[in-house]
Amino acid sequence: MQQRLQKIIAAAGYCSRRRAEELIAAGRVRVDGHIAVIGEKADDQAAVILIDDKPLQSAEKLVYVLINKPLGTVTTLSDPEGRPVVTDLVKELGVRLFPVGRLDINTSGLLLLTNDGALANRLAHPSHQVDKRYLVKVRGQLTNDSKRQLEEGVALEDGMTSPAKLVNLRISGNHTWFELIIHEGRNRQVRRMCEALGHQVSRLVRIGYAFLTLDNLAPGQKRLLSEREVKRLQGLDKNGPISKTKARQT
Ligand code: URA
């Protein structure tokens, strides 16, 4: 099928579409012997594409895996300190997979891994506003004002957080459990939001990502996404952001 070159390059997991456009503009991409130009299309199955004179790996089968990341694993491809990395959990699939976004070493739960660079880049891009649902346990009890701030915005050093939803709050001894649904993906965001309001997070689990949930996957377990789930992820742009999430039930 004829596709735009930047789309073919991104789909092969080489880089994002935008970066591919830059490579094309810089004259570093050749198609069937000639230097490619911006806007050019090529046959995604048959064209010989070279980047810096090296062949673009022919697109391998795209794989999409949902894992329940255990505590203590790092969301990188390798760790200089020798700690376990999330990609160890999918080694047996024999395909090089990359995490979509990241979870802290002390956060467990739902993480997607794929070799579909184009989809991974789209999902991780802030403009797509994918809902991420976290189960949070904090020390102490939340005041009404803290609940309001979590939902309306918390002032962090990198700016106010976007609107979020707080649901299923319950108090247990000296702790409060609740679910927080955010669509941003800033570094340590949930922990920093809670800390800014004076609450240390003692447990953090991602239990949902868009329409995907952890279901009964135990920590360390994985499952492949179905074709239908992949299609839904690819069409997420049309589904709209957090405004569709259930109203607060505290
Ligand atoms: N927020 C955090 O604080 N940590 C994570 O891993 C994810 C969201």
Side-chain angles (χ1 to χ4, degrees):
M1 201 207 320
Q2 290 285 315
Q3 302 259 28
R4 286 209 186 273
L5 263 180
Q6 62 267 33
K7 190 168 175 192
I8 300 174
I9 295 170
Y14 186 88
C15 60
S16 68
R17 262 191 224 193
R18 200 171 163 173
R19 177 74 189 132
E21 283 172 355
E22 289 170 2
L23 294 174
I24 297 166
R28 291 169 59 186
V29 180
R30 282 180 169 271
V31 182
D32 296 332
H34 66 266
I35 294 182
V37 292
I38 285 286
E40 190 168 340
K41 288 185 173 178
D43 185 325
D44 60 351
Q45 300 298 316
V48 177
I49 299 172
L50 304 180
I51 300 174
D52 293 335
D53 296 319
K54 292 196 196 77
L56 176 71
Q57 299 293 334
S58 56
E60 52 186 345
K61 185 174 163 25
L62 296 177
V63 177
Y64 307 84
V65 187
L66 185 163
I67 66 166
N68 184 347
K69 174 195 169 300
L71 289 176
T73 45
V74 193
T75 314
T76 50
L77 303 182
S78 66
D79 183 53
E81 293 175 42
R83 295 171 295 185
V85 294
V86 287
T87 42
D88 289 344
L89 298 166
V90 291
K91 244 189 202 154
E92 74 204 45
L93 298 174
V95 195
R96 210 165 125 81
L97 300 178
F98 304 88
V100 178
R102 63 186 300 279
L103 291 176
D104 299 334
I105 188 165
N106 291 324
T107 303
S108 59
L110 198 163
L111 184 69
L112 292 179
L113 292 113
T114 181
N115 54 351
D116 182 343
L119 181 63
N121 283 324
R122 277 207 355 247
L123 291 175
H125 196 277
S127 65
H128 285 99
Q129 307 200 341
V130 177
D131 285 2
K132 294 142 199 125
R133 189 176 191 120
Y134 293 91
L135 175 66
V136 192
K137 181 185 181 190
V138 294
R139 294 233 184 92
Q141 290 190 15
L142 299 182
T143 61
N144 284 339
D145 187 53
S146 293
K147 290 181 208 166
R148 185 189 56 74
Q149 286 193 56
L150 283 172
E151 289 204 314
E152 291 179 6
V154 178
L156 299 180
E157 63 202 18
D158 49 357
M160 290 294 280
T161 58
S162 295
K165 287 278 174 208
L166 192 160
V167 295
N168 297 336
L169 182 140
R170 69 189 160 84
I171 294 162
S172 167
N174 295 328
H175 288 90
T176 305
W177 291 84
F178 57 93
E179 291 172 22
L180 192 67
I181 303 151
I182 63 173
H183 61 254
E184 295 176 290
R186 301 194 216 171
N187 190 30
R188 297 186 67 253
Q189 181 166 341
V190 175
R191 289 176 201 277
R192 289 193 294 133
M193 288 169 80
C194 296
E195 282 160 15
L197 300 170
H199 295 279
Q200 195 73 28
V201 172
S202 47
R203 181 130 186 244
L204 187 58
V205 186
R206 182 148 79 190
I207 55 174
Y209 184 91
F211 55 87
L212 296 165
T213 57
L214 265 185
D215 296 325
N216 296 322
L217 277 189
Q221 284 189 333
K222 60 179 174 299
R223 73 169 179 86
L224 292 174
L225 295 191
S226 68
E227 231 172 84
R228 196 159 167 266
E229 287 172 326
V230 173
K231 286 227 165 72
R232 273 187 83 183
L233 282 178
Q234 284 162 340
L236 265 189
D237 334 34
K238 293 163 214 135
N239 290 349
I242 200 156
S243 51
K244 294 231 166 126
T245 318
K246 275 192 291 175
R248 184 161 124 195
Q249 311 156 346
T250 54

Coordinates of all heavy atoms in Angstrom, one line a residue, residues 102-104 107 134 182 186 188-192 204, ligand 1:
R102 N 5.9 5.8 31.3 CA 6.7 5.1 32.3 C 6.0 5.1 33.6 O 5.1 5.9 33.9 CB 8.1 5.7 32.4 CG 8.1 7.2 32.9 CD 9.5 7.8 32.8 NE 10.4 7.0 33.7 CZ 10.5 7.2 35.0 NH1 9.7 8.1 35.6 NH2 11.4 6.5 35.7
L103 N 6.4 4.1 34.4 CA 5.9 4.1 35.8 C 7.1 4.1 36.7 O 8.2 3.5 36.4 CB 5.1 2.8 36.1 CG 3.7 2.7 35.4 CD1 3.1 1.3 35.7 CD2 2.8 3.8 35.9
D104 N 7.1 4.7 37.9 CA 8.2 4.8 38.8 C 8.6 3.4 39.3 O 7.7 2.5 39.3 CB 7.9 5.6 40.1 CG 7.5 7.0 39.7 OD1 8.0 7.5 38.7 OD2 6.7 7.6 40.6
T107 N 6.0 2.2 41.7 CA 4.7 2.1 41.2 C 4.5 0.8 40.5 O 5.3 0.4 39.7 CB 4.3 3.3 40.3 OG1 4.6 4.5 40.9 CG2 2.9 3.3 39.8
Y134 N -5.3 5.6 38.6 CA -4.4 5.1 39.6 C -5.2 4.8 40.9 O -6.1 5.6 41.3 CB -3.4 6.2 39.9 CG -2.4 6.4 38.8 CD1 -2.7 7.4 37.8 CD2 -1.3 5.6 38.7 CE1 -1.8 7.6 36.8 CE2 -0.4 5.8 37.6 CZ -0.7 6.8 36.7 OH 0.2 7.0 35.6
I182 N -6.1 10.7 35.8 CA -5.5 11.9 35.2 C -5.2 11.6 33.7 O -5.2 10.5 33.3 CB -4.2 12.3 35.9 CG1 -3.1 11.2 35.8 CG2 -4.4 12.6 37.4 CD1 -1.7 11.5 36.3
R186 N 3.1 13.6 33.6 CA 4.3 14.2 34.1 C 5.0 13.3 35.0 O 4.4 12.4 35.7 CB 4.0 15.5 34.8 CG 3.2 16.5 34.0 CD 3.3 17.9 34.7 NE 2.1 18.6 34.6 CZ 1.8 19.7 35.3 NH1 2.7 20.2 36.2 NH2 0.7 20.4 35.1
R188 N 6.4 11.5 38.0 CA 6.0 11.3 39.4 C 4.7 12.2 39.8 O 4.6 12.7 40.9 CB 7.1 11.7 40.4 CG 8.3 10.8 40.3 CD 9.4 11.1 41.4 NE 8.9 10.7 42.7 CZ 8.5 11.6 43.7 NH1 8.5 12.9 43.4 NH2 8.1 11.1 44.8
Q189 N 3.9 12.3 38.8 CA 2.8 13.3 38.9 C 1.9 13.1 40.1 O 1.6 14.0 40.9 CB 2.0 13.4 37.7 CG 0.8 14.4 37.8 CD 0.2 14.8 36.5 OE1 0.8 14.5 35.4 NE2 -1.0 15.4 36.5
V190 N 1.4 11.8 40.3 CA 0.4 11.6 41.3 C 1.1 11.7 42.7 O 0.5 12.4 43.6 CB -0.2 10.1 41.2 CG1 -1.1 9.8 42.4 CG2 -0.9 10.0 39.9
R191 N 2.3 11.2 42.8 CA 3.0 11.4 44.1 C 3.2 12.9 44.4 O 3.0 13.3 45.5 CB 4.4 10.7 44.1 CG 4.3 9.2 44.1 CD 5.7 8.6 43.9 NE 5.6 7.2 43.4 CZ 5.3 6.2 44.2 NH1 5.2 6.3 45.5 NH2 5.1 5.0 43.7
R192 N 3.6 13.6 43.4 CA 3.9 15.1 43.7 C 2.6 15.8 44.0 O 2.6 16.7 44.8 CB 4.6 15.7 42.5 CG 6.0 15.2 42.4 CD 6.8 16.0 41.4 NE 6.4 15.9 40.0 CZ 6.2 17.0 39.2 NH1 6.4 18.2 39.6 NH2 5.8 16.8 38.0
L204 N 0.9 3.0 45.2 CA 0.4 3.6 43.9 C 0.4 2.4 42.9 O 1.4 1.8 42.6 CB 1.4 4.7 43.5 CG 0.9 5.5 42.3 CD1 -0.4 6.2 42.5 CD2 1.9 6.6 42.0
Ligands
URA1 N1 2.4 9.2 39.0 C1 3.5 8.9 39.9 O1 3.7 9.6 40.8 N2 4.2 7.8 39.6 C2 4.0 7.0 38.5 O2 4.7 6.0 38.3 C3 2.9 7.3 37.7 C4 2.1 8.4 38.0

